[in-house]
């Protein structure tokens, strides 16, 4: 049965390339699993959507009769049995770093994004940026001169961590963290990432075409 990945039917320009279905697309490309894309409206949240995602967000997947939400949970589920979620002690280490990405890095990045790009509150953004930068420096210290967070290979933890680092990096927060910048470059240079990003951008392009034809 083909896996179904649900994202929005359309989003404005600014989140394109960053909507979290990207991380799922990336993982699916890495493991070579085909999928179809389904959509829910961005604005009118239906009862059917909320029944599958209590916070009325995306992404969600449907694999047979299994419906899952939370990008981290979806990534762990899909990576199971692949090289992206190694066996032995590297399994819990990978889960640990995936949770660190979600719980120790992403909240600080999100708080800074909200202040800087949504609220445009320079004072709060500067304070949050310095907190986030400290976390990023600690992450670089933990990574040291290794290519990836766990063992010798790219794992689902690297996939998620690097996706979270993209917006801070684009705003220059990794400019004085060269090992972390190189880590992000290594991850996003992977063909699976480039394919996932191109596919997501094509999805929004097609959504624009549909939007043009829709009555106002
Ligand atoms: N913790 C959730 C966060 C999901 C999330 O924030 N999704 C965004 C898109 S990337 C969304 O649906 N935002 C619109 C909304 O919250 O109404 C996950 O990782 O799946």
């Amino acid at each position: 049965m083909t896996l179904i990945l649900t994202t929005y039917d359309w989003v404005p320009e600014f989140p394109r390339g960053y909507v979290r279905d990207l991380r799922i697309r990336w993982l699916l490309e890495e493991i070579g699993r085909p999928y179809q894309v389904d959509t829910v409206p961005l604005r009118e949240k239906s009862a059917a959507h909320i029944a599958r995602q209590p916070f009325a967000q995306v992404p969600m997947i449907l694999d047979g009769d299994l419906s899952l939400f939370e990008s981290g949970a979806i990534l762990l589920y899909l990576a199971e049995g692949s090289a992206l979620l190694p066996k032995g002690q590297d399994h819990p280490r990978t889960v640990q770093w995936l949770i660190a990405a979600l719980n120790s890095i992403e909240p600080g990045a999100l708080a800074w994004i909200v202040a800087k790009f949504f609220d445009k509150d320079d004072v709060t953004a500067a304070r949050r940026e310095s907190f986030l930068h400290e976390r990023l420096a600690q992450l670089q210290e933990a990574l040291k001169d290794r290519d990836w967070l766990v063992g010798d290979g790219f794992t689902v933890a690297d996939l998620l961590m690097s996706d979270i680092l993209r917006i801070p990096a684009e705003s220059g927060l990794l400019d004085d963290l060269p090992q972390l910048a190189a880590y992000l470059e290594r991850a996003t240079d992977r063909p699976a990432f480039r394919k996932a990003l191109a596919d997501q951008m094509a999805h929004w392009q097609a959504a624009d075409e549909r939007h043009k034809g829709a009555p106002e």
Side-chain angles (χ1 to χ4, degrees):
M1 187 153 318
T2 308
L3 184 116
I4 298 170
L5 170 63
T6 303
T7 186
Y8 286 122
D9 58 351
W10 179 88
V11 294
E13 209 59 52
F14 67 87
R16 294 182 181 197
Y18 302 94
V19 179
R20 286 172 177 77
D21 64 86
L22 181 77
R23 10 181 112 159
I24 315 301
R25 290 176 186 268
W26 184 0
L27 191 285
L28 290 166
E29 293 297 336
E30 293 280 357
I31 64 173
R33 180 148 182 204
Y35 65 99
Q36 287 174 359
V37 174
D38 188 18
T39 62
V40 287
L42 173 65
R43 300 221 162 84
E44 303 87 41
K45 312 283 190 179
S46 70
H49 180 179
I50 293 164
R52 290 185 57 204
Q53 214 295 3
F55 314 109
Q57 297 179 314
V58 302
M60 310 180 279
I61 61 159
L62 193 60
D63 190 15
D65 60 2
L66 176 68
S67 177
L68 278 183
F69 68 95
E70 279 298 339
S71 59
I74 297 170
L75 290 174
L76 283 173
Y77 168 71
L78 293 173
E80 194 69 59
S82 80
L84 295 193
L85 191 47
K87 298 204 186 335
Q89 290 192 343
D90 280 350
H91 189 290
R93 288 192 187 111
T94 303
V95 174
Q96 162 196 272
W97 274 111
L98 179 134
I99 291 175
L102 288 173
N103 205 34
S104 298
I105 303 290
E106 191 166 50
L110 270 179
W112 163 76
I113 288 167
V114 167
K116 185 175 172 74
F117 298 106
F118 293 88
D119 297 345
K120 300 190 194 319
D121 172 346
D122 293 344
V123 175
T124 307
R127 202 178 61 242
R128 290 181 181 174
E129 183 167 312
S130 98
F131 174 84
L132 175 60
H133 189 271
E134 174 68 22
R135 280 286 158 94
L136 297 175
Q138 290 166 326
L139 178 61
Q140 172 170 279
E141 187 55 31
L143 190 62
K144 295 208 163 57
D145 55 0
R146 288 176 297 119
D147 276 358
W148 305 116
L149 289 167
V150 182
D152 295 331
F154 177 81
T155 67
V156 64
D158 297 303
L159 184 156
L160 184 56
M161 187 67 87
S162 51
D163 188 37
I164 291 167
L165 294 178
R166 289 170 60 225
I167 297 179
E170 281 158 24
S171 288
L173 267 72
L174 303 195
D175 287 358
D176 61 346
L177 299 171
Q179 288 110 307
L180 202 56
Y183 166 76
L184 176 59
E185 184 69 33
R186 251 190 317 279
T188 54
D189 206 29
R190 296 173 73 84
F193 172 79
R194 292 206 232 114
K195 171 88 167 71
L197 183 59
D199 286 351
Q200 190 190 86
M201 295 311 280
H203 175 79
W204 306 130
Q205 181 70 44
D208 279 343
E209 301 300 321
R210 280 196 305 276
H211 225 64
K212 270 188 225 148
E216 289 300 317

